[in-house]
């Protein structure tokens, strides 16, 4: 259906999500207009629409499966987080949403104490809370000073 070429994404590591109309949604951990990854929609004919190109301001390297709600809202994570004044990007990651109209919002930027390097997807409970894991962060006294990871909850 689609061959990635860098400009339209590269390194699609996560599983795809299917909507009732047969559209597929996914992430590419690199590539796109900024080279930092993207979220895409692929229609049943193989036409790709890029829903969001990541920048260092809103996270980089989305590599986990998206969570799609019935209303079309997408939720996801990035491996690295927004740029700081001292670095081009942190290794802390973000949780984001993309509305059905295509508006991307950073819901939470991690600081390392609450988690970093978000490589896993999200689940959602009936109250709308999001849950996920980070493979680093948390107690810095463990795992060589990087923390051994966290399980997090975001109220939404």
């Amino acid at each position: 259906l689609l061959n990635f070429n860098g400009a339209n994404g590269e390194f699609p590591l996560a599983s795809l999500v299917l909507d009732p109309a047969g559209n597929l949604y996914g992430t590419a951990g690199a590539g796109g207009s900024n080279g930092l990854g993207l979220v895409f929609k692929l229609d049943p004919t193989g036409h790709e629409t890029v829903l969001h190109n990541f920048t260092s301001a809103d996270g980089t390297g989305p590599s986990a499966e998206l969570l799609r709600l019935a209303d079309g809202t997408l939720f996801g994570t990035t491996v690295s987080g927004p740029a700081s004044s001292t670095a081009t990007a942190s290794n802390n990651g973000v949780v984001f949403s993309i509305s059905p109209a295509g508006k991307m919002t950073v819901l939470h930027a991690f600081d390392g104490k609450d988690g970093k390097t978000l490589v896993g997807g999200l689940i959602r409970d009936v109250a709308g809370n999001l849950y996920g894991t980070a493979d680093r962060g948390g107690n810095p006294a463990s795992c060589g000073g990087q923390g051994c990871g966290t399980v997090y909850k975001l109220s939404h």
Side-chain angles (χ1 to χ4, degrees), residues 53-77:
N53 281 289
F54 285 90
T55 68
S56 61
D58 61 9
T60 65
S63 60
E65 182 177 327
L66 297 167
L67 171 66
R68 185 182 177 280
L69 303 185
D71 72 359
T73 302
L74 299 169
F75 293 93
T77 61

Side-chain angles (χ1 to χ4, degrees), residues 13-75:
L13 301 174
S15 299
L16 299 170
V17 177
L18 181 68
D19 75 10
N23 297 302
L24 300 170
Y25 297 85
T27 59
S33 63
N34 301 309
L36 302 173
L38 55 84
V39 176
F40 66 89
K41 172 184 172 183
L42 190 63
D43 75 17
T45 68
H47 174 76
E48 179 193 32
T49 302
V50 174
L51 301 176
H52 183 72
N53 281 289
F54 285 90
T55 68
S56 61
D58 61 9
T60 65
S63 60
E65 182 177 327
L66 297 167
L67 171 66
R68 185 182 177 280
L69 303 185
D71 72 359
T73 302
L74 299 169
F75 293 93

Side-chain angles (χ1 to χ4, degrees), residues 100-141:
K103 182 177 188 261
M104 191 276 203
T105 303
V106 173
L107 300 176
H108 184 73
F110 286 76
D111 65 11
K113 296 176 193 132
D114 56 357
K116 66 189 284 184
T117 317
L118 308 180
V119 294
L122 300 165
I123 61 169
R124 187 171 183 253
D125 67 17
V126 294
N129 299 304
L130 298 169
Y131 299 86
T133 59
D135 79 346
R136 292 282 182 222
N139 181 359

